Amino acid sequence: MEPAIITGLGTAIITPFHPDESVDHASLKKLVEAQIAGGVDFLVACGSTGEASTLTEDETDAVIATVIEAAAGRIPVVAGCTHNSTREAVARAQRIAKIKGLRGILTANPYYNKPTQQGQYLHFKAIAEAVAPMPVLLYNIPGRTAANLLPETVVRLAELPNVIGIKESSGNLAQIGELLALKPANFSVFSGDDYLALPIVAGGGVGLISVASNVAPKEVKAVITAALSGNRETAAEAAKKVHALNTVLFAEPNPAPTKALLAAMKITAGDALRLPMLPVGDKTRESLHKIATELHLL
């Protein structure tokens, strides 16, 4: 396995929409610029935070291409590609892998089917082999998929030459700790939850794929930079500054609060979502404004 192509802070960026729910590519480009200015290390387009499940294939390709174009080679871009049909996931991954400038694919557990560990192993293996040598990041998020990828299965998948790491969003620190103890040295474990970044990095993780960095890239980057350098006190202080933000960004289903705050910050033109997602309520909007004001984001 080659050394990791990405470490540090990655942002799982939102997909901005116009009021008519068409993709707002101008706002997307502005968001990418804000991310790069904020010091993030890489971007993940068309993940769950990017409402990928509501995008058509053409829209998905266009969003990924826009992010790559806007990034202009300054930081790597990874694209989400998840489906509960292995055959469909393979076809989509092969299509996305052909987009010029893409540096990797992030693929989550096959949802709804509730496969066995061997079923998940063969699913991920088929995707990785179909796009090789493009790097593949696994994504374990049982809260959304109803499937949990166990450490022993991850270690088996890590034997594949282009499976370079995992975004771990199980929320189970005991399980993640076991994975960190068992994984090969050059296999990267990213926290998929902002609030677990510190313990995961302290245990040997290489960074965070963040929601909060959509709105506060500099502040979240400070947490990860300090954590990776082993400066525990500085990391803890930086984490305290964004703790309340992390809480309110998940007061309602992601990415509605993040979209509301980005619109308030004038980074995007609006906070439109696609059903079944809805804009945040007044109480959450008030909380977002309060926290953003305290962090000088507005």
Side-chain angles (χ1 to χ4, degrees), residues 42-47 52 60-61 63-65 67-68 76-82 92-93 96-97 99 102-108 134-137:
F42 62 99
L43 297 171
V44 179
C46 296
T60 298
D61 293 355
V63 166
I64 295 168
V67 174
I68 292 171
V77 175
V78 175
C81 181
T82 296
R92 293 186 181 195
I96 289 171
I99 298 175
L102 187 67
R103 295 291 301 278
I105 285 175
L106 173 75
T107 184
M134 175 163 281
V136 171
L137 276 174

Side-chain angles (χ1 to χ4, degrees), residues 7 16 34 50 88 105-106 113 131 133 135 139 179 183 185 195 239 276 279 287-288:
T7 57
E88 182 66 21
I105 285 175
L106 173 75
N113 305 60
V131 300
Y139 182 11
L179 173 60
K183 74 175 186 67
Y195 70 97
S287 297
L288 286 166

Side-chain angles (χ1 to χ4, degrees), residues 1 5 22-23 56 65 71 83 93 110 129 146 169 180 190 200 204-206 223-224 235-236 243 249-250 281-282:
M1 186 187 302
I5 59 165
S22 61
V23 176
T56 67
H83 202 279
E129 290 178 343
S169 296
L180 289 166
F190 289 90
I200 290 176
V206 300
V223 177
I224 300 307
H243 173 73
L249 286 179
F250 289 91
D282 291 341

Side-chain angles (χ1 to χ4, degrees), residues 112-185:
Y112 186 76
N113 305 60
K114 294 188 177 181
T116 63
Q117 291 301 300
Q118 179 65 2
Q120 288 195 81
Y121 171 79
L122 293 173
H123 174 86
F124 286 119
K125 181 174 182 285
I127 295 169
E129 290 178 343
V131 300
M134 175 163 281
V136 171
L137 276 174
L138 310 172
Y139 182 11
N140 187 38
I141 182 163
R144 285 184 179 266
T145 64
N148 184 24
L149 192 65
L150 296 178
E152 55 265 34
T153 309
V154 177
V155 171
R156 290 178 65 200
L157 287 163
E159 296 174 0
L160 300 171
N162 61 323
V163 175
I164 64 166
I166 187 169
K167 176 184 178 184
E168 238 299 346
S169 296
S170 67
N172 184 335
L173 278 177
Q175 176 176 307
I176 298 169
E178 182 181 355
L179 173 60
L180 289 166
L182 295 176
K183 74 175 186 67

Side-chain angles (χ1 to χ4, degrees), residues 191 194-203 223-224 227 232 235-236 239:
S191 174
D194 284 78
Y195 70 97
L196 290 181
L198 288 187
I200 290 176
V201 170
V223 177
I224 300 307
R232 295 175 59 184

Side-chain angles (χ1 to χ4, degrees), residues 283-296:
K283 182 178 179 180
T284 298
R285 204 173 295 275
E286 291 172 6
S287 297
L288 286 166
H289 188 274
K290 180 177 182 293
I291 296 301
T293 301
E294 292 173 356
L295 291 174
H296 306 291

